[in-house]
Amino acid sequence: MNFIFIKYSYALLFSVLVTLPAWAGASEDASHQEAVKWSYSGATGPSHWGDLSPEYNTCKQGKNQSPVDISTSIPGKLDGIKMDYSLLVAENIINNGHTIQVNIRSGGTIKVDDKQFSLKQFHFHTPGENRVNGKSYPLEVHFVHVSDDNELAVVALLYQPGMTNRTLEPLLKKIPMNAGESKRLGAKDVELFERSKTIKNYARYNGSLTTPPCTEGVRWIVMRAMPSISRQQLDVFQRALKHPNNRPVQPLNARIIIR
Ligand SMILES: [Zn+2]
């Protein structure tokens, strides 16, 4: 699909809607203490996740797994997604060894399919997880939302290599460099996007969490807008994570990606 490269000031949202009763226990939520250890390489890496625990079975048996390569999409009538982060209050930023995650206290909502979802946290993957026409991007953010009836909506954003991204700067200064560390965040630290807008240009597909237990029922909305990130900024994420944290792309199977 024709992703439009727009300046970082353009709101970036990748949204995933997940039906996930136990969303708070999903590994997309860093507050969760995993019962079974998993990682991004070796014997506990992505190709083994499904065998590490019966709870992770969906990682190998699921047919609607994420991430994917967005290469074959069909045009559809996608409704705009209303996003309102105007009252966003961040709690903290943590390094949990798997990702760098910002936990949200309150104030972020999106409306998808006439349903409201509240932003719970967002976190980073480097390199990015979803691909576009086979191309990998250096960084991807997942904004994880949940509805009152525990469906999930994740809004994701891909970054392309380029100039320094000013909106990331305050957050970069707060990234805990070691696993297990966290820092409080102030009101000015989280300005990755416009606070209020309607997302119109995106691709959407049905997917899963990209970490164990790989729970399905997630509707992904991948923003077309791609802000830039500099080599130096990327280094900060990579030094903090100390390893790539991207799951390889998964087969589309019977799914269709709508754009
Ligand atoms: Zn993620």
Side-chain angles (χ1 to χ4, degrees), residues 93-99 176-183:
I93 184 168
I94 69 170
N95 180 340
N96 66 7
H98 289 143
T99 190
M177 297 310 285
N178 297 299
E181 291 178 356
S182 71
K183 287 182 189 169

Side-chain angles (χ1 to χ4, degrees), residues 28 40 99 123-125 129 140-142 144 154 210-211 220:
E28 290 277 19
Y40 284 99
T99 190
H123 61 268
F124 296 86
H125 296 272
E129 296 199 303
E140 180 169 347
V141 192
H142 293 155
V144 181
V154 179
T210 66
T211 51
W220 283 84

Side-chain angles (χ1 to χ4, degrees), residues 19-159:
T19 303
L20 189 59
W23 75 271
S27 49
E28 290 277 19
D29 181 346
S31 64
H32 175 58
Q33 299 290 317
E34 288 87 12
V36 175
K37 197 175 171 327
W38 56 272
S39 74
Y40 284 99
S41 63
T44 55
S47 60
H48 301 290
W49 287 352
D51 300 315
L52 297 176
S53 160
E55 288 180 8
Y56 300 169
N57 191 49
T58 307
C59 299
K60 67 173 176 182
Q61 298 292 351
K63 297 287 184 246
N64 300 309
Q65 292 288 291
S66 292
V68 298
D69 179 13
I70 301 170
S71 56
T72 51
S73 59
I74 62 167
K77 280 175 64 179
L78 291 175
D79 292 332
I81 294 172
K82 273 204 180 122
M83 176 190 130
D84 184 359
Y85 286 4
S86 56
L87 300 174
L88 197 67
V89 179
E91 185 77 43
N92 59 6
I93 184 168
I94 69 170
N95 180 340
N96 66 7
H98 289 143
T99 190
I100 305 297
Q101 178 167 313
V102 172
N103 292 310
I104 302 300
R105 189 182 303 164
S106 61
T109 61
I110 59 169
K111 204 166 185 186
V112 190
D113 300 336
D114 283 328
K115 186 175 227 167
Q116 182 152 303
F117 296 81
S118 300
L119 180 65
K120 292 298 173 186
Q121 48 101 338
F122 63 85
H123 61 268
F124 296 86
H125 296 272
T126 178
E129 296 199 303
N130 290 293
R131 292 180 175 226
V132 180
N133 295 324
K135 189 171 184 300
S136 170
Y137 289 81
L139 184 73
E140 180 169 347
V141 192
H142 293 155
F143 298 90
V144 181
H145 306 74
V146 65
S147 67
D148 285 344
D149 56 354
N150 284 319
E151 289 184 342
L152 287 186
V154 179
V155 175
L157 174 63
L158 288 165
Y159 288 76

Side-chain angles (χ1 to χ4, degrees), residues 211-227:
T211 51
C214 308
T215 311
E216 296 187 336
V218 180
R219 285 171 233 154
W220 283 84
I221 294 164
V222 180
M223 295 300 296
R224 287 193 181 195
M226 292 185 191

